[in-house]
Amino acid sequence: MRGIEGRITQRLATEVDEKDVASGEGFPVNTYRELVEHCAALAYLNKDHLLFFRGQGVDFKNKNDKSTFYPSIYRGDYLPKREVEHRFDILSQASSKLVDLLSARTKDGTGELKRKKYIQWSILQHYEVCGTPLIDFTHSLRVACSFAQLENENDHSYIYVFGLPYITNRISINSEHDLINIRLLSICPPDALRPYFQEGYLAATSDIEHEYDSKSELDFNRRLVVKFRIPNSSNFWGKDFKIIPRSALYPQQDIFHSICKEIELDVKRELKPGEIGEFLSLWSEIEEKVVSMNQKEREHNTFFSSLNQLKKSEHFDSSVINNIDKLRRFRNDLVHSPKRISNKEITPYMELMRLVTNEIKRKT
């Protein structure tokens, strides 16, 4: 995504570096009213951007000591390509389950959900089922502050202000900034209560899933205007304002919550039990070995390019190459449709996996 240099007020500039707002401990604000006044001034100064908020109990920082905001599917200090691909496999499986379960239990709003992956991802992200390429924001400062203080035992909480492109549709795609902005209130079926109570929005980097040049281009600190540090105390709200309680942020009798919990349990159970987990673990090792054995120096080696290169160099017998391809196809079936594969089917592929693993070790 394209970065921005947001404008801040002279008062904020006394303690915040306008060109490096992700560093530091955040501008201290003592009351909610004071925070609203700061954000009003920021909205006036940053007319080219629409301001969104995010509240956290902890200020997560990268190795350069800057606040960092990755979508959940990309989080982690070391994130090899095979791990990202596996996370997207989990997301694909969860999306399919979501469509199946909702079609059976509710009718309102499911037509678009079946056709649009961003709606599926939005629900899975907002109900915390699995990692997605989306990150949560809110247009409500009160919601952000309530989340920041919710079940937080630290002395302070953090409020982040982001500048995103103006919204033109329910799902707005801005090619100039390489960003997608999703208004949950406009796309979620009405039975999904949580997005409506949280005034939720989601954002993502457009046209990027598991292929990217640099992970840093996915960090939303590139859109950060300023960060605030607020006291984790009821005194912050004063007499005129109140924190939104957990019961309101997470409403009961939400059919989507129960459906998403069922999906979360199924995904965890089906993708990594017993021999399935062992198979996926061994397959990841084979992928890593094949890529590392590619003698052709290239900046972005992929599994397929590396395997083709080894095939051309006749490093492996054709039978080994064919067996690796068989394992690859079975791995795809296993991840996308685990219920269709019985334990009896896994056993011969586990034997083939060990045979290929030993052959690769013999060649290295």
Side-chain angles (χ1 to χ4, degrees):
M1 80 186 77
R2 205 182 89 184
I4 63 167
E5 289 186 3
R7 297 183 62 192
I8 61 175
T9 62
Q10 291 183 350
R11 175 70 183 92
L12 294 176
T14 60
E15 297 189 36
V16 177
D17 182 352
E18 190 173 53
K19 296 187 181 299
D20 191 18
V21 295
S23 297
E25 299 305 314
F27 187 88
V29 174
N30 293 319
T31 68
Y32 181 72
R33 180 183 176 88
E34 182 186 350
L35 181 62
V36 171
E37 291 175 352
H38 278 299
C39 290
L42 290 171
Y44 182 78
L45 286 174
N46 294 274
K47 292 185 176 69
D48 292 336
H49 309 292
L50 191 59
L51 300 188
F52 289 87
F53 310 104
R54 183 176 172 88
Q56 296 179 181
V58 178
D59 184 24
F60 297 104
K61 294 188 174 183
N62 59 24
K63 60 184 179 181
N64 296 319
D65 203 33
K66 298 178 185 291
S67 298
T68 184
F69 309 92
Y70 282 104
S72 53
I73 207 164
Y74 301 117
R75 290 173 190 168
D77 292 333
Y78 174 65
L79 195 61
K81 184 174 181 290
R82 59 180 173 80
E83 174 61 23
V84 178
E85 290 175 340
H86 180 57
R87 292 181 185 184
F88 271 96
D89 287 335
I90 293 175
L91 177 60
S92 176
Q93 177 76 3
S95 297
S96 297
K97 287 181 175 293
L98 178 66
V99 171
D100 291 343
L101 290 175
L102 288 179
S103 298
R105 300 186 190 182
T106 183
K107 300 300 180 185
D108 291 337
T110 58
E112 278 195 316
L113 185 141
K114 293 177 182 178
R115 298 190 302 270
K116 297 183 178 180
K117 68 178 181 181
Y118 285 120
I119 300 180
Q120 299 164 17
W121 292 358
S122 295
I123 292 172
L124 295 172
Q125 169 65 26
H126 209 62
Y127 285 88
E128 302 172 354
V129 175
C130 61
T132 77
L134 307 172
I135 187 169
D136 292 285
F137 294 115
T138 180
H139 206 36
S140 167
L141 190 55
R142 186 183 174 208
V143 168
C145 292
S146 299
F147 267 112
Q149 292 186 343
L150 189 67
E151 299 177 356
N152 183 2
E153 297 181 357
N154 299 318
D155 293 334
H156 295 93
S157 304
Y158 298 88
I159 303 299
Y160 307 92
V161 182
F162 297 85
L164 299 179
Y166 276 87
I167 296 174
T168 55
N169 297 292
R170 294 175 303 161
I171 300 176
S172 296
I173 301 176
N174 189 297
S175 57
E176 182 179 351
H177 291 260
D178 295 324
L179 281 172
I180 298 170
N181 197 321
I182 301 168
R183 187 175 187 264
L184 285 173
L185 279 69
S186 298
I187 68 167
C188 282
D191 289 335
L193 299 178
R194 188 182 294 184
Y196 293 90
F197 282 82
Q198 297 179 3
E199 300 183 47
Y201 287 75
L202 291 164
T205 303
S206 63
D207 300 323
I208 292 180
E209 291 186 8
H210 55 268
E211 296 282 356
Y212 48 85
D213 292 329
S214 172
K215 186 185 169 188
S216 63
E217 67 184 295
L218 306 173
D219 194 337
F220 274 82
N221 67 8
R222 299 162 69 90
R223 311 292 304 194
L224 186 64
V225 176
V226 73
K227 67 176 172 179
F228 294 103
R229 187 175 77 251
I230 65 174
N232 194 27
S233 165
S234 59
N235 293 332
F236 165 75
W237 296 96
K239 65 178 183 178
D240 296 324
F241 306 97
K242 291 183 179 179
I243 188 173
I244 303 174
R246 179 180 179 84
S247 58
L249 292 172
Y250 297 93
Q252 300 299 310
Q253 288 80 50
D254 185 343
I255 187 174
F256 273 69
H257 176 259
S258 59
I259 288 175
C260 286
K261 276 297 177 186
E262 183 178 336
I263 296 170
E264 182 181 4
L265 290 173
D266 283 349
V267 168
K268 287 180 179 179
R269 181 173 62 248
E270 292 177 5
L271 287 181
K272 288 190 176 181
E275 283 195 319
I276 294 179
E278 185 180 357
F279 180 92
L280 292 174
S281 177
L282 290 172
W283 172 254
S284 295
E285 291 179 12
I286 286 179
E287 279 189 323
E288 190 172 350
K289 284 286 186 183
V290 168
V291 172
S292 66
M293 291 173 69
N294 185 358
Q295 299 300 311
K296 186 176 181 181
E297 294 185 3
R298 296 196 306 178
E299 184 180 356
H300 302 295
N301 283 343
T302 66
F303 172 75
F304 283 111
S305 65
S306 299
L307 188 62
N308 287 333
Q309 183 63 26
L310 292 175
K311 186 177 181 179
K312 291 176 183 178
S313 66
E314 298 183 351
H315 191 87
F316 289 127
D317 294 335
S318 60
S319 61
V320 176
I321 299 293
N322 291 335
N323 285 336
I324 292 176
D325 197 50
K326 286 181 184 178
L327 291 171
R328 178 190 63 81
R329 291 196 299 269
F330 179 74
R331 179 261 184 195
N332 291 341
D333 291 339
L334 183 62
V335 168
H336 292 292
S337 304
K339 283 187 174 180
R340 298 178 185 176
I341 297 174
S342 67
N343 291 332
K344 290 182 179 180
E345 290 178 276
I346 296 176
T347 301
Y349 280 97
M350 285 295 295
E351 294 176 358
L352 184 61
M353 177 76 78
R354 294 186 180 101
L355 179 67
V356 170
T357 300
N358 291 333
E359 183 66 22
I360 290 176
K361 288 181 179 178
R362 191 175 67 83
K363 289 283 187 176
T364 58

